[in-house]
Amino acid sequence: MPPTPSATPATGPDPLGPATTAPATDPAGLPAHQPAAADLARVAARTAADLLAGPAPVRLGDVIPAPERVAADPTADFVLPADAAVRVSLDPAARDVGEQLAELLRPATGYPLPVTDVADPEGPLVLTLAGPGPLAVGVSGEVGAVDLGDEGYRLDVTTDGVRIVAVTPAGLFHGVQTLRQLLPAAIDSPTPVAERWVVPGGLIVDRPRFPYRGAMLDVARHFFGVADVLRVIDHLARYKLNHLHLHLTDDQGWRIAIDSWPRLATVGGSTEVGGGPGGWYTAADYRRIVRYAARRHVTVVPEIDLPGHTNAALVAYPELAPGKIPPPPYTGTDVGFSYVDPADERTYDFVADVLGEVAALTPGPWLHIGGDEAFKVRGAAYTGFVERAQRIVAGLGKTVVGWHQLAPAAHLDGRVLQWWGTNGDDPDIAAAVRQGARLILSPGNHAYFDMKYAPDTPIGHDWAGLIDVRRAYDWDPGTHLTGVPADAVLGVEAPLWTESVTSLAEIEFMLLPRLPATAELGWSPRAAHDWVGFRDRLAGQGPRWDRAGIAFHRSPDVPWSGEPAAPRPTVPRQLTAEVTDRASGQVHPDPAGAPGPPPTTNGA
Ligand code: TNX
């Protein structure tokens, strides 16, 4: 029951101001005189406000990824007032997080939300950078000290306001994403909504399980413009994913301008799967992506796939091809047929020039050199090539990342292998880890979001199986690989290959709702793993995506509630290409029966 106006505590300030006349009451409590019209209006307004009151619609723990510790206090809910300011520590990066909080809240609330670094610890929204070291916390009666580390945060909600404390701006940013999910779903509306902006009371202390949490977008099979990539970064940031891996080159297209080898982009970039026009990023485009990501505390990991998956480069520069024979452009979906000539020194000039330019454009520490499915470069020719490429990367001051096929090449300090197998019993990987390799886990049968959800979902492959939301969620990066201890696992990544994905709506359909599963595996403590709880929290994201106009798949294994508040975004077209079953090497005609690529000659 909402409280009646007379139940308002006498001690608290009346938000509607004092009444103009204090009405006398008779012994039965009825007004002794006819109230003035102004008084009636005041009571009506007050009653309406109180009717809108009530418990917060979101519970403090209803967050993805699940926070490490949550102590709800239902007596401490906070309602954001229209005149709130965002107060931040005197630090440019912290201030920018405050600006981003205001930018997130302004459209739906319509509130001005000025951002200031004038201190007022009592203010309604306060973001504070604390010094490093353990922070005293008391959650659920348990008192202790927690080291928030590079990305952790503490979020306190009391009736007076919301306070987020972190050691780094990244931690503040993650706290802001939590706050966003604690507000009613209408906060994702792009236009003002009449809503009581209530945040559930209590305390959250949170930090990630793994330092690397990411997604990959293949911009080579189909090209996606800068705006699409920025929108994907938004989705990552919302769920505290902190790496965007861009698969920039493949047989069907070369997507980044390289000054010293200009035809890579102008010639190699002009094709894509299915014969479309392709495209490529200029250095300015790429910098824009990197900057946008960095503001959201997301690091870009560029991949130049070598020595295989290079047909587009060979079309542009036949001198790199074996026998210097120019290949025709390729717009199908086969793999494993192309390679740069590992026996020619010119190839290493190319590798050094390309990796040098990409490294110079990339502030993050990683440089991904691919290494997968180079079926025609075998044995010593392959390991010799990889070892030289690894040394080039190290010489540029970057850390090598490569697909797990790199494992047989000699170990290089710090190198990271990205595992995409489907069987966690892989002795080569266990051996590489014993030599010091760290792993990013992208199990094909759990994290490959180019796999279909179900036989009848319109786009995607199924060579690694069908991946519904539960399958995306039900695995443990800490124990997934035999002989690989959790501390060798740098983190998780969900790759989205785009042979069958042609638009932003299709990217979103494939990523959502599975991407939050990867995010939770990478961030939340294992003890928080719980399918039913996750499924129910995930259902709460649906109305947010609807409000934001995001085209997600309404997976039947999630209890989505209600109908969207805004018209649903376009659903993906029916698949128009054939789907290659990589495990069997078979090509399956798509149900729609459209002409497809040539048959696969090599299984993975
Ligand atoms: C395997 S995983 C590939 C890609 C394909 C993908 C399709 C990996 C490193 N290589 O070339 O696009 O399967 O699922």
Side-chain angles (χ1 to χ4, degrees), residues 221 309 372-373 403 420 448 450 461 463 497 499 582:
R221 268 51 179 275
H309 289 273
D372 59 314
E373 299 173 322
W403 298 105
W420 59 283
Y448 261 37
D450 58 321
H461 303 149
W463 66 261
W497 301 99
E499 287 95 335
R582 196 167 295 263

Side-chain angles (χ1 to χ4, degrees), residues 79-267:
V79 180
L80 184 70
D83 63 354
V86 177
R87 293 182 189 277
V88 296
S89 292
L90 192 59
D91 172 278
R95 185 181 179 106
D96 189 58
V97 177
E99 295 286 357
Q100 293 189 75
L101 171 60
E103 287 164 20
L104 287 174
L105 304 186
R106 280 181 197 131
T109 61
Y111 299 166
L113 294 161
V115 180
T116 168
D117 47 31
V118 176
D120 173 8
E122 303 299 309
L125 293 171
V126 183
L127 310 186
T128 308
L129 270 187
L135 197 83
V137 290
V139 182
S140 307
E142 163 206 348
V143 178
V146 167
D147 198 334
L148 294 174
D150 287 347
E151 294 190 281
Y153 65 93
R154 170 191 163 127
L155 181 146
D156 273 274
V157 184
T158 66
T159 50
D160 295 334
V162 179
R163 269 152 261 300
I164 302 174
V165 181
V167 178
T168 61
L172 287 181
F173 184 81
H174 295 320
V176 161
Q177 300 311 314
T178 294
L179 170 57
R180 183 183 186 190
Q181 290 189 38
L182 293 175
L183 283 156
I187 199 64
D188 267 294
S189 167
T191 51
V193 178
E195 175 69 77
R196 189 170 158 264
W197 300 110
V198 55
V199 184
L203 172 63
I204 289 178
V205 180
D206 199 12
R207 56 191 171 164
R209 180 180 181 196
F210 294 106
Y212 186 108
R213 306 172 305 280
M216 186 204 82
L217 183 63
D218 169 7
V219 295
R221 268 51 179 275
H222 281 99
F223 179 66
F224 299 94
V226 173
D228 293 349
V229 178
L230 303 191
R231 172 125 161 167
V232 170
I233 293 169
D234 287 341
H235 300 334
L236 265 56
R238 192 189 274 263
Y239 297 108
K240 304 185 175 77
L241 292 161
N242 62 356
H243 287 83
L244 173 69
H245 168 184
L246 286 176
H247 182 73
L248 288 167
T249 66
D250 214 304
D251 293 317
Q252 299 86 348
W254 183 283
R255 307 299 180 205
I256 185 157
I258 302 293
D259 286 346
S260 51
W261 297 71
R263 289 166 54 81
L264 288 171
T266 56
V267 174

